[in-house]
């Protein structure tokens, strides 16, 4: 709720209390209660808005954990797809992701610092992929995370890029 809208709501509550009291003698107690309620509501909304505006960015390690969780075979498919933007489209691709992991048991991948806030509901970070674990053929790609329902989800397009960089194709990526 915007500050203007909150102020109007608070003023409306206060005016309603005053109007109700105007039928007879002003009821100072009712006015005080309405004023107190409006001020508490305004303070609570401002605090909630401030907390949302200053929400700390996830670290590279936290984003890395989300990606690795999406590839964890022990995680139920519904939870896995919840970690991906348009994740339901990847339900049929899950076997491809497992195959990529099985075919490359020494592969190492991870999200690295820094993490950038794009100020549009997305974050940008770098993903490193060492397909054979030797460090001789490390590939990097930019990875975006999209904030959906208060959760950071790996972007569908970027997950497709990661799969392509590992030489895997899936119908979910077109």
């Amino acid at each position: 709720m915007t500050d203007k809208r909150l102020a109007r709501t608070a003023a409306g509550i206060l005016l309603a209390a005053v109007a109700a009291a105007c039928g007879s003698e002003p009821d100072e107690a009712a006015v005080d209660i309405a004023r107190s309620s409006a001020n508490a509501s305004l303070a609570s909304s401002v605090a909630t808005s401030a907390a949302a505006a200053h929400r700390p960015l996830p670290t590279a390690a936290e984003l890395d954990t989300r990606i690795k969780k999406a590839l964890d075979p022990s995680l139920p498919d519904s939870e896995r797809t919840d970690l991906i933007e348009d994740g339901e489209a990847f339900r049929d691709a899950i076997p491809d992701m497992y195959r990529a992991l099985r075919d490359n048991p020494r592969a190492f991948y991870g999200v690295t610092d820094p993490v950038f806030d794009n100020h549009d509901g997305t974050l940008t970070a770098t993903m490193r992929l060492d397909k054979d674990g030797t460090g001789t053929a490390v590939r990097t790609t930019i990875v975006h995370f999209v904030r959906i329902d208060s959760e950071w989800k790996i972007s569908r397009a970027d997950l497709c890029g990661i799969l392509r960089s590992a030489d895997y194709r899936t119908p979910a990526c077109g």
Side-chain angles (χ1 to χ4, degrees), residues 151-168:
E151 294 290 329
W152 290 107
K153 300 182 181 207
I154 185 168
S155 120
R156 177 182 183 161
D158 291 345
L159 179 56
C160 289
I162 291 166
L163 291 172
R164 277 191 295 276
S165 73
D167 299 321
Y168 281 89

Side-chain angles (χ1 to χ4, degrees), residues 70-82:
L71 296 172
D72 179 356
S74 68
L75 191 68
D77 289 348
S78 61
E79 289 181 41
R80 178 184 344 287
T81 56
D82 283 346

